[in-house]
Amino acid sequence: MSRRIRVVIGKPGLDGHDRGAKVVSRALRDAGMEVIYTGIRQTPSEIVNTAIQEDADIIGLSILSGAHMKLCEKLLKLLKEKDINIPVFLGGIIPEDDIPVLKEIGIKEVFTPGTSLELINNKVKEIVLGE
């Protein structure tokens, strides 16, 4: 692939802890991707609009608040309503029991604390490039 993968990293909800989002953003950038970080306390609509405006290849969400199910459902619904096919991955404090449900509704991958940055980089490339 000759062009850089464009990633929008969003932090939906009221949670203000964004160190993980910043670490992942930096790792993806260091791996050669173009990363647009939306900042904290974004709505799903704001993140979707940013992804559309930035012509993103993939959206990454960071959620620690426990509201991951509702926020992910809303964001995926907005993408569907706009007929936009941008894959979404999620990172944060996510209970193991919720991961299969999140994947079933359309989240491509879920990363929990302790996931290596190399694995995240490789999975993002795999999702976008189909490698």
Side-chain angles (χ1 to χ4, degrees):
M1 179 176 188
S2 59
R3 69 176 181 83
R4 295 170 70 185
I5 295 173
R6 293 178 63 95
V7 184
V8 166
I9 299 290
K11 187 92 180 97
L14 300 176
D15 173 19
H17 298 90
D18 66 346
R19 185 165 57 179
K22 289 178 177 174
V23 168
V24 169
S25 294
R26 177 70 182 251
L28 295 174
R29 190 191 75 188
D30 290 350
M33 298 179 215
E34 187 172 347
V35 179
I36 299 98
Y37 174 48
T38 64
I40 61 173
R41 299 187 181 105
Q42 299 290 300
T43 67
S45 180
E46 289 169 327
I47 294 168
V48 166
N49 288 336
T50 299
I52 292 168
Q53 290 168 359
E54 296 291 342
D55 196 24
D57 295 303
I58 190 165
I59 298 171
L61 302 175
S62 174
I63 304 173
L64 304 175
S65 65
H68 51 277
M69 297 303 287
K70 286 197 177 285
L71 292 168
C72 288
E73 286 172 354
K74 186 164 187 172
L75 188 133
L76 291 168
K77 182 180 175 194
L78 289 167
L79 287 171
K80 188 172 184 176
E81 287 173 358
K82 293 178 183 279
D83 199 25
I84 303 293
N85 186 21
I86 301 174
V88 179
F89 68 94
L90 170 65
I93 308 295
I94 311 298
E96 287 291 323
D97 290 346
D98 290 350
I99 293 173
V101 178
L102 288 160
K103 289 185 175 181
E104 195 172 294
I105 66 170
I107 298 297
K108 294 295 184 189
E109 193 58 68
V110 178
F111 303 109
T112 55
T115 303
S116 75
L117 296 173
E118 181 180 2
L119 177 65
I120 295 171
N121 288 336
N122 290 337
K123 283 290 186 180
V124 168
K125 288 177 185 173
E126 179 183 308
I127 292 167
V128 173
L129 304 175
E131 295 179 344

